[in-house]
């Protein structure tokens, strides 16, 4: 989780991207982002997909492809569609019957950051510098190349004009509705 957040934070800093909401499941993820053009979108997604795939392969001792297909981009055309996509994203663990409440999701989720306004915390491992140091024969610890990264979410555009309190109230209302629907479905 920390590595994924670190990769997102690095990508946000490198590309002209606003990240509004995220959820990572075991086999896919959803992002709600504002990106200025297709060139930036491709570069951003290539960076995110590629770095996550390399880390997954490294952790599991795998080789080859992690993602079964290219990312799919869905353009969000209006505020109603945007709120609908945020609800869809936040409800992911619940709609699959994996958790009763969105806050219970153990994977990467932007919900806490959206409710508190605090950044998401992650890590970035500078593997290039680690490799160079090892090949120079430097005596270093792997932790010498790990940096904390903070992912500051951007406000959802249709709610950007709201006060912090009102913004969080909107998110809380979505969560309450997701929890109500989940409880009803589970009954």
């Amino acid at each position: 989780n920390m590595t994924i957040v670190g990769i997102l934070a690095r990508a946000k800093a490198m590309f002209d991207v606003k990240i509004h909401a995220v959820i990572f499941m075991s086999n896919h993820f959803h992002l709600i982002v504002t990106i200025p053009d297709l060139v930036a979108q491709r570069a951003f997604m290539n960076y995110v997909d590629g770095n996550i795939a390399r880390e997954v392969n490294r952790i599991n001792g795998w080789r080859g492809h992690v993602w079964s297909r290219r990312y799919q981009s869905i353009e969000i055309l209006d505020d109603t569609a945007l709120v609908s996509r945020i609800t869809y994203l936040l409800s992911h663990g619940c709609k699959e019957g994996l958790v009763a409440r969105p806050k219970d999701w153990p994977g990467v989720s932007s919900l806490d950051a959206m409710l508190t306004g605090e950044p998401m915390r992650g890590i970035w491992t500078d593997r290039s510098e680690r490799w160079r140091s090892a090949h120079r024969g430097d005596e270093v610890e792997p932790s010498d190349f790990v940096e904390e990264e903070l992912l500051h979410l951007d406000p959802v555009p249709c709610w950007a004009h709201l006060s912090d309190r009102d913004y969080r109230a909107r998110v809380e209302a979505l969560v309450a509705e997701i929890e109500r629907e989940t409880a009803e479905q589970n009954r």
Side-chain angles (χ1 to χ4, degrees):
N1 289 352
M2 297 285 288
T3 299
I4 289 170
V5 172
I7 290 168
L8 287 173
R10 279 285 166 127
K12 184 177 190 265
M14 292 176 66
F15 302 96
D16 187 18
V17 174
K18 292 180 180 176
I19 299 178
H20 308 292
V22 305
I23 187 91
F24 278 75
M25 307 304 285
S26 61
N27 62 352
H28 71 284
F29 63 92
H30 296 275
L31 304 172
I32 297 179
V33 298
T34 300
I35 300 179
D37 57 49
L38 287 175
V39 173
Q41 177 181 323
R42 286 186 199 112
F44 172 78
M45 288 307 301
N46 182 54
Y47 185 87
V48 170
D49 282 349
N51 278 285
I52 291 173
R54 281 187 286 284
E55 291 299 325
V56 166
N57 280 339
R58 186 173 288 109
I59 289 167
N60 293 296
W62 296 347
R63 290 178 114 28
H65 296 283
V66 169
W67 310 113
S68 63
R69 60 184 174 146
R70 260 185 100 223
Y71 73 90
Q72 180 180 0
S73 174
I74 299 171
E75 189 172 0
I76 301 172
L77 300 175
D78 59 36
D79 292 349
T80 302
L82 178 57
V83 173
S84 176
R85 296 310 296 180
I86 292 167
T87 304
Y88 175 80
L89 181 147
L90 294 176
S91 70
H92 242 59
C94 295
K95 73 181 188 63
E96 281 86 9
L98 300 171
V99 294
R101 302 173 332 144
K103 285 189 99 172
D104 295 339
W105 182 246
V108 174
S109 168
S110 58
L111 179 57
D112 283 340
M114 294 172 79
L115 289 171
T116 66
E118 296 294 317
M120 298 173 71
R121 296 189 175 281
I123 59 169
W124 173 260
T125 302
D126 189 340
R127 299 207 183 277
S128 298
E129 187 56 37
R130 185 175 168 186
W131 183 88
R132 284 190 289 274
S133 291
H135 279 59
R136 283 192 306 260
D138 297 346
E139 290 187 32
V140 293
E141 294 293 320
S143 61
D144 292 342
F145 303 96
V146 177
E147 303 170 31
E148 182 179 50
E149 288 288 336
L150 299 177
L151 176 58
H152 295 271
L153 294 180
D154 297 287
V156 174
C158 64
W159 297 341
H161 67 284
L162 298 174
S163 69
D164 288 347
R165 190 186 76 184
D166 290 343
Y167 186 92
R168 285 167 205 7
R170 295 277 177 108
V171 176
E172 288 169 357
L174 293 180
V175 170
E177 180 61 19
I178 292 165
E179 289 175 359
R180 187 194 63 72
E181 289 177 3
T182 301
E184 188 176 300
Q185 182 179 7
N186 290 341
R187 241 189 317 273

